[in-house]
Amino acid sequence: MMSGSTKIYFWKGVFWISLYLLFSFLPLIVVMVGFEPSVTNFWREFSIALGFVGLTMLCLQFIITARFRTVAAPFGLDMILQYHKYISLVAFGAILFHPILLFWVDPENLELLNVLKAPFRAQMAVTSTILLFIIIVISVYRKEFNIDYETWKTLHWMLAVLIIITAALHVFNVEYYLSANWKRMFWGFIIAISLFLLFYIRVLKPAMLIGRKYVVRKVVEHKGEAWSVQFEPVNHSGFLFMPGQFGWLTLGNSPFQIEEHPFSFSSSSEDINIIEMTIKALGDYTGNISKVKPGDVAHIEGPYGVFSPDRFPDSKGYIMLAGGVGITPMMSMIRTFADRKENRPLILIYANNTFEDIIFFNELEKIRKDLKITIVHTLAEPPQDWNGEEGFIDADLLKKYLPEGANDYTYFICGPGPMMDASHKALMDNGVKTGNIEMEVFDLV
Ligand SMILES: Cc1cc2nc3c(=O)[nH]c(=O)nc-3n(C[C@H](O)[C@H](O)[C@H](O)COP(=O)(O)OP(=O)(O)OC[C@H]3O[C@@H](n4cnc5c(N)ncnc54)[C@H](O)[C@@H]3O)c2cc1C
């Protein structure tokens, strides 16, 4: 049985998916109005339809990635970006089959591949398809090619714009299908909206953050190379968030910088005067987090994410499995529970390599007194005098701590990929249904 708020998220999700499907086919329907497809050349017409649907899907990618909070709310940004990734492959398939079918119907069309002699519309089609291939390859193999995230992001946007422009030049130069003025205007509008969305993301959205600055109030160093940075809104009231959600952080005076990073909030959602993010030094950006000092200016865009107990208000209790810095969203949940004087049962199982890696150890010890919470630390490399659990999270460990009626609880998992997979499996081995398990992956691409 779905709770009231889960039902709302479900129906919102159904609404957005229906709208997506409608918009995927609407432009094709518009092309078809008043047009009599040739019966003898079914495959030719089908190939044209594939081209139009593929292009529409590419245009819709700009909406998907625009980070509209209402669209992201039912699914979560990670799910949306995964969808963006896979639907690109579907769009690429549709676009690739468009010429393949044309070549199959009439092999003379192969001449269009000779870009030096081919008409402009064919040159644009070939360019667009090659760029699409490049964007997919560098996105799928970014890590293998060692392309850093910021370079990839800039390249991705530039290629995306070029793909849309060259595809539009192809479509508008095959006058036959868009001969009516209103059809040209309709398609022109779709292309313009796609390009406008890029302007919205890069210029308008950051511009909306002007006047919504945050200033660093405090920086706390933890064990395990992690720092908690507390931000205070400057002359505005901040924003409300659910415990477990995250925001995009831009450090510095200008919100227009290319470099913005997602971090979970680790503070209580009951106090909107302070937003805390706890960041582990792992790469070039996070490696410099220790240099942030009180008084520094920042911009935070959010909240995003669906990884929150507030979406499951009817749960009998909450069980959190964290690994390493994956404790941050759980810390927000636990601090919020403490502020709300939550009296439902809570369990935190926190896995780390060594004792030195445990972030928030002392605060968690203190908070035990304020909540009905069981806190279990497990260490892969425990010290000699350790009397907690040892090893990784597995089915045997969970068996010791999971309550009766395990499926009446909601489970949250966050940590490194292998830890998350192992914890999910261990829960399922203990009879927990996958529908009761929420996961937050700290990697969007
Ligand atoms: C929803 C979410 C919540 C997160 N919460 C936390 C948290 O609370 N604490 C914490 O320490 N880390 C968190 N992370 C991870 C954090 O965002 C990355 O570790 C950080 O962006 C890496 O940047 P870097 O330049 O230091 O590392 P790099 O070594 O340059 O990058 C490592 C990987 O991080 C990803 N990444 C890098 N830059 C960006 C970017 N600008 N935007 C998106 N992804 C990027 C890429 O996949 C990259 O391969 C979270 C990530 C996500 C998606």
Side-chain angles (χ1 to χ4, degrees):
M1 268 273 284
M2 278 192 272
S3 73
S5 69
T6 315
K7 260 188 205 151
I8 293 173
Y9 278 105
F10 175 80
W11 286 113
K12 276 187 182 171
V14 170
F15 171 75
W16 287 118
I17 290 171
S18 313
L19 210 61
Y20 180 86
L21 289 174
L22 175 72
F23 279 113
S24 297
F25 290 97
L26 185 70
L28 175 65
I29 295 167
V30 166
V31 173
M32 293 305 193
V33 172
F35 172 77
E36 290 200 2
S38 153
V39 181
T40 48
N41 260 330
F42 168 78
W43 289 110
R44 187 169 173 279
E45 309 305 351
F46 183 66
S47 106
I48 307 291
L50 279 181
F52 275 111
V53 171
L55 177 56
T56 312
M57 281 176 164
L58 292 187
C59 292
L60 284 170
Q61 297 284 43
F62 287 82
I63 298 187
I64 293 176
T65 51
R67 295 205 320 233
F68 289 117
R69 276 205 296 277
T70 38
V71 181
F75 311 102
L77 206 54
D78 51 346
M79 181 94 91
I80 287 197
L81 293 180
Q82 286 297 325
Y83 180 78
H84 164 64
K85 198 161 138 183
Y86 291 114
I87 207 70
S88 314
L89 298 177
V90 176
F92 182 57
I95 285 169
L96 204 61
F97 266 95
H98 161 55
I100 288 176
L101 282 177
L102 284 182
F103 301 150
W104 178 63
V105 168
D106 182 359
E108 274 190 19
N109 282 328
L110 277 165
E111 280 175 22
L112 295 172
L113 289 179
N114 183 351
V115 281
L116 295 177
K117 290 192 180 153
F120 181 67
R121 62 171 200 281
Q123 290 172 334
M124 289 300 100
V126 172
T127 313
S128 190
T129 313
I130 292 174
L131 294 178
L132 189 55
F133 178 71
I134 295 174
I135 205 173
I136 287 177
V137 170
I138 62 167
S139 300
V140 174
Y141 297 106
R142 177 180 69 82
K143 288 182 183 164
E144 284 77 358
F145 289 154
N146 257 337
I147 305 175
D148 75 78
Y149 189 86
E150 268 63 42
T151 312
W152 167 79
K153 199 165 148 186
T154 313
L155 214 58
H156 194 80
W157 279 114
M158 280 164 44
L159 284 169
V161 171
L162 286 176
I163 289 165
I164 292 296
I165 291 177
T166 45
L169 288 172
H170 166 64
V171 169
F172 281 98
N173 279 283
V174 188
E175 287 179 1
Y176 183 51
Y177 292 92
L178 295 183
S179 50
N181 260 345
W182 71 271
K183 288 187 186 179
R184 296 175 79 78
M185 279 168 66
F186 179 83
W187 267 90
F189 179 70
I190 291 180
I191 304 286
I193 289 274
S194 309
L195 298 178
F196 171 78
L197 281 173
L198 179 63
F199 177 72
Y200 166 78
I201 296 164
R202 291 264 53 98
V203 182
L204 290 186
K205 216 165 185 205
M208 285 188 243
L209 293 180
I210 295 175
R212 295 191 66 80
K213 275 184 191 167
Y214 285 80
V215 69
V216 175
R217 195 178 78 167
K218 199 172 163 191
V219 182
V220 180
E221 183 174 355
H222 298 278
K223 293 191 295 177
E225 289 278 281
W227 281 262
S228 283
V229 186
Q230 293 182 356
F231 302 92
E232 198 173 23
V234 180
N235 299 329
H236 63 95
S237 52
F239 53 74
L240 294 171
F241 66 91
M242 297 191 291
Q245 286 193 296
F246 69 96
W248 290 84
L249 173 68
T250 311
L251 287 169
N253 259 315
S254 162
F256 293 100
Q257 296 171 50
I258 283 271
E259 185 133 29
E260 48 165 8
H261 289 254
F263 296 107
S264 299
F265 307 124
S266 53
S267 47
S268 165
S269 66
E270 295 295 300
D271 180 4
I272 58 163
N273 294 318
I274 289 292
I275 285 192
E276 183 186 274
M277 290 170 162
T278 302
I279 299 171
K280 190 165 173 85
L282 288 172
D284 19 314
Y285 185 82
T286 49
N288 280 316
I289 209 69
S290 59
K291 294 185 187 147
V292 172
K293 51 186 190 315
D296 284 358
V297 173
H299 293 86
I300 301 172
E301 196 220 323
Y304 287 98
V306 289
F307 187 73
S308 177
D310 285 8
R311 291 185 58 224
F312 308 94
D314 303 331
S315 200
K316 192 170 175 188
Y318 302 101
I319 297 175
M320 298 159 273
L321 311 184
V325 74
I327 188 70
T328 55
M330 319 300 194
M331 205 55 207
S332 174
M333 294 176 197
I334 291 170
R335 284 168 163 171
T336 307
F337 289 141
D339 283 348
R340 291 180 186 166
K341 308 212 178 322
E342 177 63 64
N343 58 17
R344 281 174 286 183
L346 308 166
I347 301 175
L348 169 70
I349 299 184
Y350 187 15
N352 279 287
N353 278 333
T354 67
F355 181 71
E356 292 307 312
D357 291 324
I358 306 177
I359 310 172
F360 297 118
F361 182 82
N362 292 335
E363 188 174 340
L364 286 169
E365 286 306 297
K366 276 194 208 132
I367 229 160
R368 280 180 199 267
K369 291 186 235 84
D370 304 330
L371 287 165
K372 216 192 268 179
I373 188 168
T374 306
I375 298 178
V376 180
H377 289 285
T378 181
L379 297 178
E381 299 159 29
Q384 294 238 310
D385 55 350
W386 179 245
N387 52 17
E389 293 290 348
E390 294 183 15
F392 298 125
I393 295 177
D394 61 16
D396 288 340
L397 176 76
L398 293 188
K399 204 172 183 178
K400 279 166 75 175
Y401 296 100
L402 290 195
E404 288 283 304
N407 279 305
D408 297 334
Y409 293 76
T410 308
Y411 296 78
F412 296 92
I413 308 178
C414 184
M419 172 266 164
M420 293 183 68
D421 294 342
S423 301
H424 189 273
K425 182 177 177 301
L427 284 175
M428 302 229 347
D429 288 347
N430 276 286
V432 177
K433 291 188 188 133
T434 193
N436 293 327
I437 306 172
E438 299 292 305
M439 316 227 317
E440 182 75 297
V441 183
F442 273 6
D443 199 357
L444 289 176
V445 281

